[in-house]
Amino acid sequence: MKRLLWILLTIGLFVHKANGQKSEVSIDRAMSLSRMADFYYTAHNYEKAIEQEKKALDMKSVLYGIHSLEYATSAFNLAKYYYDRGMEGEIECNPSDFIYATEYAKKSMAIIKDTVLFEMKGLDYNSRYQLWQNVNTIFDSTFPSYVAKNPNDSILSDLYNIILFSKGITWRRDGGINTMCWKEIQNALGENDIAIEFISPVVPSNDNMVFYALTLKKGYRCPKMTRLFDIFQFKDSLKSCSSKVEKGQKIGNMVWNPLNNELIGIENVYFSATHVLNNMPIEYMPITDTETYSDRYCMIRVSSTQEIANNKKRNHFNKAILFGGLQYEAIEAKGEDRMERSGFEPLPNTGEEVAEIANVFEKRHIDYKVYSGDEGTEELFKSLSGSSVDILHLATHGKYIVNNDVGVYHNGDEALTNSILVFSGVNKRSTSSFEQDDGIVTALDISQMVFGNLDLISLSACESALGEYGIDDSIMGLQRGFKIAGANTILMSIDKVDDEATRILMVEFYRNLMSGKTKHQSLKDAQKHLRKVENGKYDKPEYWASFIMLDGLN
């Protein structure tokens, strides 16, 4: 554990405290050789860089062994040096350089993965997250950037498997143990399905974040990699937009147009988002003025494409808990504006919302309990940990507190405290420090609960899908908290939502779900219903496209 926590966040040497029997001179010499190799590499003198790093590799094999992280670091450096030397010749490139580069890269990844698996045994979630934070630069940035320049079958397969490995660590309570490979996902796909892992590695040479799609279909001999855009192109493109519609079309074009050939003949699109794409309803982006991507395809957002292989058939819902119409001892609502789920004002429609949903459950003979008024406290919510609840519906205020440290990745605990839900009596208590029983529940609080039987959590609240970007460029927020706690499917919002429109959408969603439709189809049909209410009163995307569903596969 200590060794891993000392790993630098850039590709370089792993700092290691030598034991008394090893020569400090030899260790210093090995470090010096690697530093010299990096110097030559920066100067594009690949011959010397390879020569020095090979000497360092041989020395580290004696000092630490060939399965050590120190050895893995030098091996990966050699992969970079060989690859860039091979590319330098352009037309007269040396094929053997690419063979050596691939061999060293694969060897390095295998060593690091095995070491991380061993080190993570017995650790809690936050300890695993912190440990992974110290090695993920190679996995989530440098290695994907290397693969993008050298996308052969073997290395693409390794990259997809590494992404699955990383998300198994960061999204699951038992993370670090899941070693699923891409072929298992491929076997679970239908003939008209596609699995997409969006990734956004930062190119080490220029700090530019580049977005790629790793795609997988039935019959593929390995995953495919498609470049989409870089973060500078993305930001520049959106600056010129004069309307939300134009912005949506440009985002849709950047994300989906490069994949047009991949989507031919496809019906079901399973995708796992990354970075800014987590905070955007890319499944609802417009293709034309009358058609969205969700109209053309069945777009299913997943935390990881391994959920396709993990998917289980839904059993009958037995028990539901609903929170709504909560009494916050609140200040008066502001004017006639119904977009009020961003503060702690009363939410009168949430009481009607849970009452109507409860009526749907009653007709289907589902055991349910509604908590409203001053009943829906933080203490009561936390008491649900470990209980057998199938559906949990929370109609209350949600908020993501924006972190001003842009670009800074906090550890798991810190990041999870910035996404909150509020409960009864919140305005009677101090809310400045998120103390115990203050009426505020953070994503961190939720992550420490147990919801192993929870098949569906509906977060009928503002900004419930938002959060900080984690080390794997996915979201550290309420959705992460509930997934760590064991929840299966999450229905959540990416924006401030209208109180009345949300009530209509949620009630219709449950009517559809209780009639036997899948979760995904239930939401899709509820959105269509909402858009037709009162001759299109809620037809704008800010009403119907604010809610997204994660892992709604059943």
Side-chain angles (χ1 to χ4, degrees):
M1 177 67 177
K2 289 182 179 179
R3 288 173 59 195
L4 284 176
L5 292 176
W6 291 348
I7 297 172
L8 298 179
L9 295 180
T10 55
I11 297 299
L13 293 171
F14 292 92
V15 179
H16 179 78
K17 184 177 181 180
N19 63 39
Q21 295 179 343
K22 293 179 180 177
S23 168
E24 292 291 343
V25 175
S26 296
I27 293 172
D28 289 343
R29 177 62 177 159
M31 295 173 67
S32 178
L33 286 167
S34 285
R35 282 195 296 267
M36 186 61 68
D38 184 61
F39 171 79
Y40 283 125
Y41 172 70
T42 303
H44 302 284
N45 188 339
Y46 303 115
E47 296 290 339
K48 282 290 187 180
I50 291 170
E51 177 186 329
Q52 296 299 308
E53 197 64 67
K54 276 189 172 182
K55 291 178 180 178
L57 188 73
D58 290 341
M59 194 169 291
K60 289 176 182 180
S61 69
V62 175
L63 291 168
Y64 309 115
I66 60 173
H67 300 292
S68 65
L69 291 172
E70 291 81 3
Y71 185 90
T73 306
S74 282
F76 193 85
N77 287 340
L78 278 170
K80 289 193 302 177
Y81 304 161
Y82 271 115
Y83 179 79
D84 284 356
R85 186 177 74 172
M87 288 295 293
E88 189 179 45
E90 296 181 355
I91 297 176
E92 299 179 0
C93 61
N94 185 354
S96 64
D97 280 343
F98 300 120
I99 295 173
Y100 287 133
T102 299
E103 288 178 353
Y104 279 116
K106 288 171 67 67
K107 181 184 295 187
S108 175
M109 291 297 100
I111 294 169
I112 296 174
K113 186 175 178 181
D114 288 345
T115 305
V116 170
L117 274 171
F118 177 78
E119 293 284 348
M120 283 188 173
K121 291 179 180 177
L123 296 180
D124 59 22
Y125 175 80
N126 196 55
S127 297
R128 289 199 311 271
Y129 188 89
Q130 290 185 51
L131 187 153
W132 187 242
Q133 192 171 20
N134 287 278
V135 299
N136 85 297
T137 299
I138 293 179
F139 274 85
D140 295 333
S141 289
T142 308
F143 188 62
S145 298
Y146 166 81
V147 175
K149 296 191 297 182
N150 182 36
N152 63 65
D153 292 1
S154 177
I155 212 78
L156 281 168
S157 297
D158 284 347
L159 176 58
Y160 204 109
N161 290 341
I162 285 167
I163 292 168
L164 298 178
F165 178 75
S166 177
K167 290 186 175 180
I169 291 170
T170 56
W171 279 95
R172 293 177 172 274
R173 185 183 295 276
D174 59 347
I177 307 301
N178 193 325
T179 55
M180 183 179 292
C181 74
W182 66 270
K183 289 186 178 180
E184 294 176 72
I185 296 167
Q186 185 183 52
N187 291 337
L189 292 173
E191 293 296 334
N192 303 114
D193 298 347
I194 187 171
I196 304 174
E197 287 283 356
F198 289 108
I199 60 173
S200 50
V202 176
V203 181
S205 60
N206 59 11
D207 290 331
N208 184 17
M209 179 177 287
V210 183
F211 289 72
Y212 297 92
L214 282 176
T215 53
L216 188 60
K217 291 200 287 190
K218 210 78 172 175
Y220 276 9
R221 66 186 185 190
C222 74
K224 292 186 178 181
M225 189 174 192
T226 303
R227 189 187 191 280
L228 306 177
F229 54 87
D230 64 49
I231 196 66
F232 301 122
Q233 293 170 328
F234 183 81
K235 291 178 178 179
D236 289 344
S237 179
L238 299 187
K239 283 180 183 178
S240 61
C241 295
S242 58
S243 67
K244 289 185 177 180
V245 173
E246 184 183 3
K247 180 179 178 180
Q249 288 176 332
K250 285 197 173 183
I251 293 172
N253 288 340
M254 283 187 284
V255 174
W256 298 113
N257 275 5
L259 298 172
N260 279 340
N261 290 337
E262 289 287 280
L263 296 175
I264 295 174
I266 291 297
E267 296 177 4
N268 301 306
V269 179
Y270 300 92
F271 71 92
S272 181
T274 184
H275 207 263
V276 295
L277 303 186
N278 286 293
N279 293 334
M280 296 180 176
I282 57 176
E283 54 268 69
Y284 306 141
M285 293 303 175
I287 301 174
T288 66
D289 292 340
T290 59
E291 185 183 29
T292 69
Y293 283 95
S294 63
D295 294 327
R296 183 173 294 185
Y297 308 100
C298 178
M299 308 284 287
I300 302 175
R301 182 184 292 251
V302 291
S303 54
S304 165
T305 53
Q306 62 188 286
E307 294 299 321
I308 302 168
N310 286 331
N311 185 34
K312 298 179 181 178
K313 290 185 178 180
R314 188 183 74 208
N315 295 320
H316 178 71
F317 295 121
N318 296 308
K319 186 176 182 179
I321 300 292
L322 301 94
F323 286 71
L326 302 182
Q327 177 56 259
Y328 308 116
E329 302 295 334
I331 58 177
E332 287 186 23
K334 299 176 182 178
E336 298 298 321
D337 187 3
R338 305 305 292 272
M339 299 291 234
E340 291 295 344
R341 291 196 184 190
S342 60
F344 296 165
E345 297 86 358
L347 299 171
N349 278 299
T350 63
E352 185 178 350
E353 176 181 318
V354 295
E356 290 188 56
I357 295 171
N359 186 48
V360 174
F361 290 155
E362 187 168 349
K363 289 180 179 179
R364 292 291 174 175
H365 307 291
I366 293 175
D367 182 22
Y368 69 89
K369 177 65 177 176
V370 176
Y371 295 102
S372 58
D374 59 4
E375 293 179 309
T377 62
E378 173 190 353
E379 297 93 320
L380 178 64
F381 171 75
K382 289 182 177 178
S383 73
L384 298 176
S385 179
S387 61
S388 297
V389 180
D390 301 305
I391 297 175
L392 181 58
H393 184 90
L394 302 177
T396 184
H397 287 296
K399 194 170 186 64
Y400 164 54
I401 303 168
V402 178
N403 186 349
N404 292 324
D405 297 331
V406 178
V408 176
Y409 292 138
H410 294 290
N411 66 39
D413 278 1
E414 276 185 294
L416 289 172
T417 59
N418 289 332
S419 296
I420 66 171
L421 293 170
V422 303
F423 291 84
S424 296
V426 65
N427 286 333
K428 295 190 295 185
R429 315 181 192 190
S430 169
T431 60
S432 60
S433 59
F434 302 155
E435 298 171 351
Q436 186 73 15
D437 301 335
D438 57 6
I440 289 179
V441 173
T442 68
L444 176 60
D445 295 329
I446 295 166
S447 72
Q448 295 168 347
M449 298 173 70
V450 178
F451 285 118
N453 296 316
L454 186 59
D455 189 45
L456 171 66
I457 166 68
S458 295
L459 298 173
S460 184
C462 283
E463 302 180 344
S464 50
L466 304 186
E468 295 185 31
Y469 299 129
I471 53 175
D472 58 351
D473 283 326
S474 55
I475 289 295
M476 295 293 290
L478 293 170
Q479 57 179 291
R480 182 73 66 102
F482 276 107
K483 290 301 289 187
I484 296 169
N488 182 20
T489 302
I490 304 175
L491 180 58
M492 54 195 169
S493 70
I494 59 171
D495 207 340
K496 296 178 181 179
V497 293
D498 180 87
D499 203 24
E500 174 64 9
T502 298
R503 180 191 66 79
I504 296 170
L505 179 74
M506 288 294 175
V507 173
E508 188 66 19
F509 166 73
Y510 282 106
R511 285 189 182 128
N512 296 333
L513 187 64
M514 293 302 111
S515 71
K517 294 181 180 179
T518 65
K519 296 169 187 170
H520 180 270
Q521 193 62 48
S522 295
L523 176 60
K524 192 171 186 177
D525 288 349
Q527 290 169 327
K528 290 179 180 178
H529 170 80
L530 177 63
R531 297 177 71 177
K532 295 177 181 178
V533 169
E534 296 185 32
N535 296 317
K537 178 181 179 180
Y538 300 113
D539 191 39
K540 292 182 179 179
E542 57 257 39
Y543 294 113
W544 65 267
S546 291
F547 280 92
I548 58 175
M549 180 176 284
L550 185 71
D551 294 335
L553 283 79
N554 58 3

